[in-house]
Amino acid sequence: MTFRRFVATLLEVERASSRLAMVRMLAEAFRELPPEEVPLAVLLLQGRVAPEFEGLEFGVAEKEAVKALALVLGRDEAEVARAVKEKGDIGAYAREVLPEREGGLTVRQVYGELRAIAEDSGKGSQLRKRERLARLLAAASPEEAAVILRTVTGRLRLGVGDATVLEALALAFLGDRGKRPLLERAYNLTSDLAHVARLALEGEEALRAVKLEVGKPVRMMLAERLPGPEQIMEKLGPHYAEHKYDGERVQVHFNGERFWVYSRRLENITHQYPDLLAALGEVQQEPFIVEAEAVVVDPVTGEMRPFQNVLNRKVKHLTPELLEKYPVKGFVFEILYHDGKTLIDRPYTERRQALERWFRPHERLELSSKRFVETTEELVQFFDASIEAGCEGLVCKKPDGEYEAGKRGFKWVKYKRGIAGKLSDTLDLVVVGAWLGRGKRAGSYGSLLAAAYNPDEDRFETLTKVGSGFSDEDLGQVLPRRLDPYRREERHPRVWSLLEPDVWFDPALVVEVEAQEITLSPNHTCAYGVVQEGRGLALRFPRFVRYRDDKSPEEATSTKEVVEMYRNQWA
Ligand code: ATP
């Protein structure tokens, strides 16, 4: 397919009136592409040339892209830079000034060039990247150049979520968008959309046969909530409760030679945990995939320190001093692969036995503390013990539950301390808009419009305005710095809102919010019409708690969870 046709589809998709229309347009384009170009197109749709977990970035700053464009236009760099700044978007500017060209580039050619740009590194790479980009732009039509420039500078935001791509692939190659769950399963096991596209092209059997692979992150299983211990006992029956450690969740892969560490968002964070990996390498030489909570401990007393401490490791160059100041201990709670065997479909009890066989004592490693509980009293007792030990509470696990990749279900239920007069759990919401501040907050944002995620519709539905809980520093510097890159003129196509904030944002930043209760509201779209016709759900007395950079927008609290929290709040 010509890249031109592909770009035309993208523009149509951006303007689509509904998600279903989007799915149909994408499916049609997928069908038209030669099979070997489908996975490439799927990556380009995400603005990437490799799955996110591979960490392959373009390494082209906007300044460099401006230089490449100036080269093609034969104009002065400073002049082009000024014009781009004025226009606010390099893509829009390129579309305006580049001459009309027939082009004739194919999807494969553009992908190949972009991939070469991303892979080039080391001495002299900046110049080579710039020249390659300029050559590509010189062969492109203005519309194509706009997409290429937005892609390499990380600004291609099409508003097509993974769920929509999966549904379009299901429609294109299995003839039925209702088969999305089959693709979702493959995606949950491999986290690789391009790979899922390849499998979808082969057909249903290939999708069903997909297995996890050491090195490719498995999308993480998550826990449900229930209002209290009685309800947990009722739902799970006698079960295993484990301490809920408050650190960073890590999924560690080892193929016998090489380690990979993935975060909740499936980012490659291997470089962040050299000490933990050294410990794991000492206890096991056979390939494995395990999950642990990495918790910073006091270097002197060995006591667990709160979550915020691990954030100190999120730096580009982790120095020996930082490692010494913030040592971590890994509390291992899950095993997905060992001894050449995939354990993901095995029941909890069997996985736990395998984990205990896998484990060897080490000063930096511990198995998560667990207890078999048969009564509410035993559960409460173990909960109290967990708090005393410095944990957040418990994660209660159903003995026969398999590991459900990428799902939040009742095979795991979390039990955290409820704070009097407040909802027993906080919500993680996506910032989709904001109102400008007045008075003391003039020049910054006064309050944010925050949304929950609806995975069925693949869209963000508003739940609350949040204006309290921010420090002066948050308001003055942190929020503008974090949010300004996502500002946009109009509502993002994946956001559903009845309110009209002063500014809109791409759904990107996730914040943790606490509140007193959840109420019905005619102004918010979260779970609109689910509890009552003509009403959505809203938070009462919301308060910002912290930034959740460990979560992607699709990992925010789901609209279904909000409905459950609404129904459970009086239980
Ligand atoms: P929260 O904000 O409450 O930590 P979350 O959305 O990050 O929730 P959940 O799946 O709801 O994640 O809660 C389980 C989380 O608890 C896991 O993601 C993991 O990071 C952490 N955790 C700590 N100890 C355990 C354990 N023993 N078993 C499973 N998860 C654990």
Side-chain angles (χ1 to χ4, degrees), residues 94-110:
R95 197 167 45 213
E96 232 171 64
V97 295
L98 281 170
E100 198 41 61
R101 265 194 205 98
E102 217 10 84
L105 289 166
T106 63
V107 169
R108 186 211 292 271
Q109 275 171 329
V110 174

Side-chain angles (χ1 to χ4, degrees), residues 36-57:
E36 66 280 8
E37 286 189 1
V38 175
L40 312 183
V42 163
L43 285 165
L44 291 177
L45 272 172
Q46 299 169 289
R48 315 195 58 88
V49 285
E52 193 172 351
F53 64 81
E54 282 184 21
L56 182 64
E57 306 296 337

Side-chain angles (χ1 to χ4, degrees), residues 74-88:
R75 290 197 197 160
D76 179 55
E77 281 170 19
E79 182 197 327
V80 175
R82 251 195 319 277
V84 166
K85 192 156 180 229
E86 217 162 275
K87 193 89 203 155

